[in-house]
Amino acid sequence: MAEKSKILIIGGTGYIGKFIVEASAKVGHPTFALVRESTIASKADLVDKFKNLDLVKAIKQVDVVISTVGSALVGDQLKIIDAIKDAGNVKRFLPSEFGNDVDHTIQAVDPAKTAWAKKADIRRAVEAQGIPYTYVASNFFAGYFLRGLSQPGATSPPRDKVVILGDGNPKAVFTEEGDIGTYTIRAVDDPRTLNKTLHIRPAANTVSFNELVSLWEKKIYKTLEKVYVPEEQVLKNIQETEFPGNILLAINHSVYVKGEQTNFDIDPSTGVEAIELYPDVKYTTVDEYLDRFV
């Protein structure tokens, strides 16, 4: 059996990072996490604290580098790219993605548009340097967007009234965070994912907002009051809402109103579907996830 790749995860104590660290260690990859010296220090120091030489030294000890830095640090991944290029030994780099496929967000509005453009810029920088890569488009985190049905401030699905952006018909994709970790680690040594985008779009988790509400209503044996917000009002709300609420609204507009997680076919020359590559993975379905809140 081939020796498992050594994996360095930058930002391994962050929200999605900890799931990827766990998934890597679970299947026996020698796993390293590059984190700031003090957990009390500002996360803005995460990459800056490590000089390029230190990054190169860390990277030379591994085969695969996975970045899970938060959105505020996406641009700082240029330093990681430079270090990978200097080290010269990395077999695969996975930059911080783990959301929408940023090359298919053409109808997005600011501030989401600018945030995704920064991730697209990192993709282009990776490609320009000739670094072997895999991009992970995992779509919505279930813990962020499914557990409260994307209702502002909600930590569980509503039981009386639900606000629906647009007409509720475009389909979105929800993935449980542990499953994102599993699929990500399965991809790191897979030649089929080399220089491709790994799309996590299981059919059972690809649902419209109307279908999602209907499923929840059946589970609680109750019909919710539904408030539909037309796109014009959604756009106005984005403009009038302060950060970070405005970026969340803009992301929801892209997905729930414009359908930008599912309104394109996967091009086999540039992308692969995780469910097709790894049919043995038992992922958490939307149906099963919602059962936790009944």
Side-chain angles (χ1 to χ4, degrees), residues 4 10 15 53 62 123-124 144 150 184 207 219 230 238 252 258 269-270:
K4 290 184 178 292
I10 300 176
Y15 181 76
L53 182 62
V62 301
R123 288 188 177 194
R124 305 293 88 84
Y144 266 26
S150 291
T184 298
V207 294
K219 289 183 180 297
I238 293 169
N252 288 345
K258 295 301 186 182
S269 68
T270 60

Side-chain angles (χ1 to χ4, degrees), residues 69-201:
V69 299
S71 57
L73 298 176
V74 164
D76 284 350
Q77 291 179 109
L78 291 173
K79 300 171 188 175
I80 299 172
I81 293 170
D82 288 343
I84 289 172
K85 192 68 175 178
D86 289 346
N89 63 297
V90 169
K91 297 191 299 184
R92 196 81 62 95
F93 175 46
L94 286 69
S96 188
E97 295 257 345
F98 311 107
N100 281 28
D101 181 352
V102 297
D103 285 333
H104 289 92
T105 54
I106 57 175
Q107 299 181 84
V109 299
D110 276 326
K113 179 180 179 179
T114 297
W116 284 329
K118 290 179 182 178
K119 289 191 174 185
D121 288 344
I122 293 298
R123 288 188 177 194
R124 305 293 88 84
V126 170
E127 294 156 8
Q129 291 292 341
I131 295 170
Y133 65 84
T134 298
Y135 307 137
V136 179
S138 57
N139 298 299
F140 271 164
F141 294 157
Y144 266 26
F145 296 92
L146 182 56
R147 66 178 297 158
L149 299 196
S150 291
Q151 304 301 293
T155 57
S156 61
R159 291 178 177 266
D160 296 303
K161 181 175 75 173
V162 61
V163 175
I164 302 172
L165 306 187
D167 61 14
N169 291 325
K171 291 185 182 292
V173 186
F174 303 89
T175 312
E176 199 272 333
E177 288 81 348
D179 296 332
I180 294 172
T182 298
Y183 285 121
T184 298
I185 296 303
R186 288 289 290 269
V188 297
D189 285 330
D190 191 339
R192 298 172 297 178
T193 63
L194 178 62
N195 296 337
K196 299 282 182 71
T197 298
L198 179 71
H199 297 268
I200 305 178
R201 298 203 304 194

Side-chain angles (χ1 to χ4, degrees), residues 24-41:
S24 179
K26 184 177 181 180
V27 295
H29 284 280
T31 304
F32 307 87
L34 190 60
V35 297
R36 58 193 182 278
E37 292 176 5
S38 170
T39 56
I40 302 174

